[in-house]
Amino acid sequence: DSHYSPGYYWLGNNTLKVPLVLHKENRQRLVSLFLSNHKETIQKNSYILLEGGKSVTLYDSDHEPLFKQEKYFFWAFGSDMPDCYGLISLDDALNPISTLVIPKLPAEYATWLGEIHSCEYWKSIFLVDNVIFVEDMTEFLVKNNATTLYTLSGVNADSGNSLTTPKFEGIEKFNVDTKLLYNDFSECRVYKSPKELEVLRYACDASVSAHKAVMKNIKIGMKEYESEAEFLHHSYKHWGCRNVGYTCICAANANSSVLHYGHAGEPNASTIRDGSMCLYDMGAEYHGYSSDITCSFPANGKFTEKQKIVYNAVLDASRSVIAAMKPGVNWVDMHKLAERRILSHLLTAGLLQAANGVDELIENKIGSIFFPHGLGHFLGLCTHDVGGYGGDAVPKVNSLRTTRTLKAGMFITVEPGCYFIDHLLNGAIADPVKSKYLNIPVIETYRKFGGVRIEDDVFVTENGCENYSSDLPRTVEEIESFMKK
Amino acid sequence: DSHYSPGYYWLGNNTLKVPLVLHKENRQRLVSLFLSNHKETIQKNSYILLEGGKSVTLYDSDHEPLFKQEKYFFWAFGSDMPDCYGLISLDDALNPISTLVIPKLPAEYATWLGEIHSCEYWKSIFLVDNVIFVEDMTEFLVKNNATTLYTLSGVNADSGNSLTTPKFEGIEKFNVDTKLLYNDFSECRVYKSPKELEVLRYACDASVSAHKAVMKNIKIGMKEYESEAEFLHHSYKHWGCRNVGYTCICAANANSSVLHYGHAGEPNASTIRDGSMCLYDMGAEYHGYSSDITCSFPANGKFTEKQKIVYNAVLDASRSVIAAMKPGVNWVDMHKLAERRILSHLLTAGLLQAANGVDELIENKIGSIFFPHGLGHFLGLCTHDVGGYGGDAVPKVNSLRTTRTLKAGMFITVEPGCYFIDHLLNGAIADPVKSKYLNIPVIETYRKFGGVRIEDDVFVTENGCENYSSDLPRTVEEIESFMKK
Ligand SMILES: [Mn+2]
Ligand SMILES: [Mn+2]
């Protein structure tokens, strides 16, 4: 009666029972791709070596934040145990022999942290071929005449960071290649398997359900963080999601123009005021897979005319993109499409002016004043999932997190937004080229409006795409009717 | 309308408004003690230099866990901003000139993370004498003819870890002393000021309220994590506590014998069974100060005879200790008192046997089979707060987190427990000396019982002590009556 049973992760009740063969299939996919791309290079008795996350304490204290597994390791092995390694033999593409390497726990572990399970037990849970102790890893590799160990080292396009090369006693006995694996592995993670999609669908369902509960229960005068508390509670108690993929953004009032509001320095601490827009960006995580969903709605349940203008601009962008998404479509074009839709609404509504229409606005980069972030990003085990600048990506365009051409199997957020951000407006007004496209007196009436973002999680299919968060009220009418008490 | 206003931290509604002069007083206390202890050593133009926590991302990703401030820095400055330093001049014991050193934020910060405030703004919030940018820190120190910078470096008794010495450009221009400050600073943190106690009382009140809500709403067949979800929600939504001091331990069934259950590897995922004990150890945190409270109760609201025996043994230990606590009493003696009370109950109930009574059990170390952890620990900004092995402490006794003599102003948990832990029982049964004190057939009927812990947060006053968590139902009768539907 725990979260693990042989071959499954499950939190009971109505939560999703995840077959851990998901990760065995992931290992097979990885080895197949890696071997097929590097047939000539990879020698017999080579292994992929992954290092799981280490348990950590904060500063000098013994405070242990809730452990979160390193995501490449998790993708391949599905284990949330700290201080592990994983070995995958490269000798057989179809059935790669997989070895989970776990720490040998001291007897006191049973007193403080729980029952110490046998290697056989973990083998049955995670469907691997071997489970060995960290201290026996070198001997295991020597006995199997291991030649080269392929490890992960490559720059994460969102953070600029890289994983460090594993260090364990005896690693110097082997040839360690830190270069070859990274691109193939991150590319593998880009395409979601049917079993991964089931988990992602569940995480999305949990978030949709929790977002709806939050919208239903919002009251003028509440603190923003009360909505965060409700989202976390709903997705944990009813859906078993202990973690969120990222810190909840619960922004009301003008705060909705701060794209990553909600962090420790801006802790969702404002009072929700009548007449203001809420922008709630929150995503539950289950078995390591994250959703990432934003709902924007009027705090009092009824859109003002101004709110309708901005909201419908963003909704049109969102729906236009989702209607256009299919394999072969380039993401930069989707971003431009969203920008064009938003600008044309602002033009129609008289916030912008241009003798030659929207094209002139686009040429003069008016879009990024109101829509300063990228249209979306890959989503999976990471909120900003890997691979955005792999494949056919061209170098970074503005703040886009990917510039790739869509392919079936990709899972990506669609999150156009329109914001009234003081320092961007001030910069544009002060810019002689840009200011002439702004109807400044009208725009000034939108100061402190905040912003609108509509974010969905979308799977690219063979012929088009499927929106996993489509069960949310999204149109003005749907939202107003849903929020009616 | 944010969590900060000039001189205050406040989350609105009914939450506690914390005067940030609390931290100014802390700085004064620290400088007074440090100067009076090292009059001869400390030269003119010396400074205390503290380094706040850095913002971090997980592994190679751009995932930022919610920032938690380094606690020494927080104690002195009260700011939850990452990447800061603090300087406190040592030239004036009564009114030490304090300088908060903050990062200069790039213009894009306003788009992504929020309004960029001026140095004057932060000065008014935190009641410091100066606010400067990190890049100007060296110049500031040079201009003020700084000689020695005293930094923190010393071994945390609970973790064995130490803070690292700050590194910033130009630090080599000064004499950096890493030795002198640590003991005085950790000693200062041991004694809670009236303003700190108000925050601690509030954190305790929040936890008491949330524990009660959890007890009221528990149902057989629920998952343990549903209780965690409820505690987190209650203390956040109604009390503004976004963080807990440590990961929630929600242990039902035999899990209640795992002292630190609830971590990622044992994620409160069992189904709560009829007839089982719940051991719920959860503590809300407000403005960085943590509570740490454990309630043990029968899942179905009605104690069995066995549960009464074990519970009353622990309750007697708890009440005996709290009745005895006052300045001058040594904590090791309190631990022994608790152990004695527990053993005498187990003896009376026939689980143990000893021709010469409890003394014989104690001499033969029977206590730690059932009560294998220390009686309690200092509590404050850290759950296991600093200073347990400062002052008059003797070297570590068993697993005690302090061996000190109580003094007025200390804040400490009282948390006796009695557990039936398979591997400790098996070890004792196999031990020819210990086994003869065990009534093995009776003890075998307690296998899978789990355990009981009763944890209160207690302030040591001039004449005795005050229990900040006294508003919980604690006796068998109180609990049964409270849980009655
Ligand atoms: Mn997103
Ligand atoms: Mn404790």
Side-chain angles (χ1 to χ4, degrees), chain A residues 281 292 377 383-384 413 415 455:
Chain A
D281 185 347
D292 181 1
H377 49 82
T383 305
H384 298 149
T413 68
E415 48 175 311
E455 181 175 24

Side-chain angles (χ1 to χ4, degrees), chain B residues 187-428:
Chain B
E187 191 61 12
C188 250
R189 281 180 57 185
V190 168
Y191 304 97
K192 272 61 182 182
S193 72
K195 290 198 178 64
E196 287 184 292
L197 287 168
E198 270 188 68
V199 187
L200 285 164
R201 189 184 291 278
Y202 180 81
C204 287
D205 287 349
S207 290
V208 165
S209 173
H211 269 288
K212 282 177 163 179
V214 167
M215 284 172 76
K216 271 282 185 213
N217 292 319
I218 201 161
K219 284 189 190 67
I220 302 302
M222 262 173 59
K223 285 282 175 179
E224 298 162 332
Y225 66 76
E226 295 180 64
S227 294
E228 178 184 2
E230 177 132 16
F231 184 92
L232 296 171
H233 177 251
H234 188 96
S235 53
Y236 194 13
K237 179 171 171 67
H238 301 298
W239 296 78
C241 299
R242 192 181 206 184
N243 291 309
V244 278
Y246 51 95
T247 301
C248 291
I249 300 171
C250 293
N253 317 327
N255 303 328
S256 54
S257 69
V258 177
L259 305 183
H260 284 177
Y261 188 75
H263 56 95
E266 295 282 3
N268 300 327
S270 287
T271 305
I272 300 169
R273 286 199 302 270
D274 198 9
S276 82
M277 281 299 290
C278 292
L279 185 161
Y280 282 3
D281 186 346
M282 306 189 273
E285 181 184 297
Y286 190 78
H287 188 60
Y289 287 85
S290 181
S291 58
D292 181 1
I293 293 174
T294 309
C295 294
S296 296
F297 53 91
N300 62 17
K302 189 94 188 115
F303 284 84
T304 65
E305 285 312 306
K306 280 199 177 100
Q307 287 169 347
K308 273 187 203 169
I309 287 167
V310 179
Y311 189 87
N312 281 326
V314 178
L315 185 66
D316 185 4
S318 158
R319 301 303 109 158
S320 302
V321 166
I322 292 175
M325 279 171 68
K326 62 179 178 185
V329 164
N330 183 272
W331 195 247
V332 180
D333 293 333
M334 291 296 95
H335 182 87
K336 286 179 180 163
L337 171 59
E339 188 179 76
R340 174 176 292 271
R341 296 313 307 145
I342 291 166
L343 287 173
S344 74
H345 279 258
L346 298 184
L347 186 63
T348 306
L351 284 83
L352 300 176
Q353 51 206 11
N356 300 313
V358 172
D359 288 329
E360 199 180 346
L361 297 174
I362 289 170
E363 277 158 33
N364 287 283
K365 300 183 194 304
I366 303 303
S368 63
I369 304 167
F370 302 94
F371 176 28
H373 60 77
L375 175 63
H377 50 83
F378 290 146
L379 178 64
L381 287 173
C382 291
T383 306
H384 297 149
D385 214 15
V386 295
Y389 281 86
D392 72 336
V394 298
K396 194 137 187 156
V397 175
N398 300 329
S399 51
L400 267 70
R401 294 191 188 272
T402 180
T403 56
R404 294 182 64 163
T405 300
L406 295 181
K407 289 191 186 180
M410 289 175 171
F411 195 65
I412 192 164
T413 68
V414 176
E415 50 176 311
C418 179
Y419 314 87
F420 296 87
I421 299 171
D422 273 331
H423 85 105
L424 297 183
L425 292 175
N426 295 343

Side-chain angles (χ1 to χ4, degrees), chain A residues 1 11 59-60 62 68 111-113 159 225-226 228 236-237 242 245 259-260 262-263 270-271 384 423, chain B residues 1 11 59-60 62 68 111-113 159 225-226 228 236-237 242 259-260 262-263 270-271 384 423:
Chain A
D1 183 27
L11 284 179
Y59 308 115
D60 69 328
D62 69 344
K68 291 199 89 173
T111 304
W112 291 89
L113 296 165
S159 67
Y225 65 76
E226 296 181 64
E228 178 183 3
Y236 194 12
K237 179 170 169 68
R242 192 181 206 184
L259 305 182
H260 284 176
H263 57 95
S270 287
T271 305
H384 298 149
H423 86 105
Chain B
D1 180 30
L11 283 180
Y59 308 114
D60 69 329
D62 69 344
K68 291 199 87 172
T111 304
W112 291 89
L113 297 163
S159 66
Y225 66 76
E226 295 180 64
E228 178 184 2
Y236 194 13
K237 179 171 171 67
R242 192 181 206 184
L259 305 183
H260 284 177
H263 56 95
S270 287
T271 305
H384 297 149
H423 85 105

Side-chain angles (χ1 to χ4, degrees), chain A residues 318-358:
Chain A
S318 158
R319 300 304 107 157
S320 301
V321 166
I322 293 175
M325 280 172 67
K326 61 179 178 183
V329 164
N330 183 271
W331 195 246
V332 180
D333 292 334
M334 292 295 95
H335 182 87
K336 288 180 179 163
L337 170 59
E339 190 180 73
R340 172 177 293 272
R341 296 312 307 143
I342 291 166
L343 288 174
S344 74
H345 279 258
L346 298 185
L347 186 63
T348 306
L351 285 85
L352 300 176
Q353 53 207 10
N356 300 312
V358 173

Side-chain angles (χ1 to χ4, degrees), chain A residues 293-416:
Chain A
I293 293 174
T294 308
C295 294
S296 296
F297 53 91
N300 63 14
K302 187 94 187 118
F303 284 84
T304 64
E305 286 311 306
K306 279 200 177 98
Q307 288 170 346
K308 274 187 203 168
I309 288 167
V310 180
Y311 189 86
N312 280 327
V314 179
L315 185 66
D316 184 5
S318 158
R319 300 304 107 157
S320 301
V321 166
I322 293 175
M325 280 172 67
K326 61 179 178 183
V329 164
N330 183 271
W331 195 246
V332 180
D333 292 334
M334 292 295 95
H335 182 87
K336 288 180 179 163
L337 170 59
E339 190 180 73
R340 172 177 293 272
R341 296 312 307 143
I342 291 166
L343 288 174
S344 74
H345 279 258
L346 298 185
L347 186 63
T348 306
L351 285 85
L352 300 176
Q353 53 207 10
N356 300 312
V358 173
D359 288 328
E360 198 180 348
L361 298 173
I362 290 171
E363 274 158 35
N364 288 284
K365 299 183 195 303
I366 302 303
S368 62
I369 305 168
F370 302 95
F371 176 29
H373 60 76
L375 174 65
H377 49 82
F378 290 146
L379 178 62
L381 287 172
C382 291
T383 305
H384 298 149
D385 213 16
V386 294
Y389 280 85
D392 71 335
V394 297
K396 195 136 186 159
V397 174
N398 299 329
S399 52
L400 268 70
R401 295 190 188 273
T402 180
T403 56
R404 293 181 66 164
T405 300
L406 296 181
K407 288 191 188 181
M410 289 176 170
F411 195 64
I412 192 161
T413 68
V414 176
E415 48 175 311

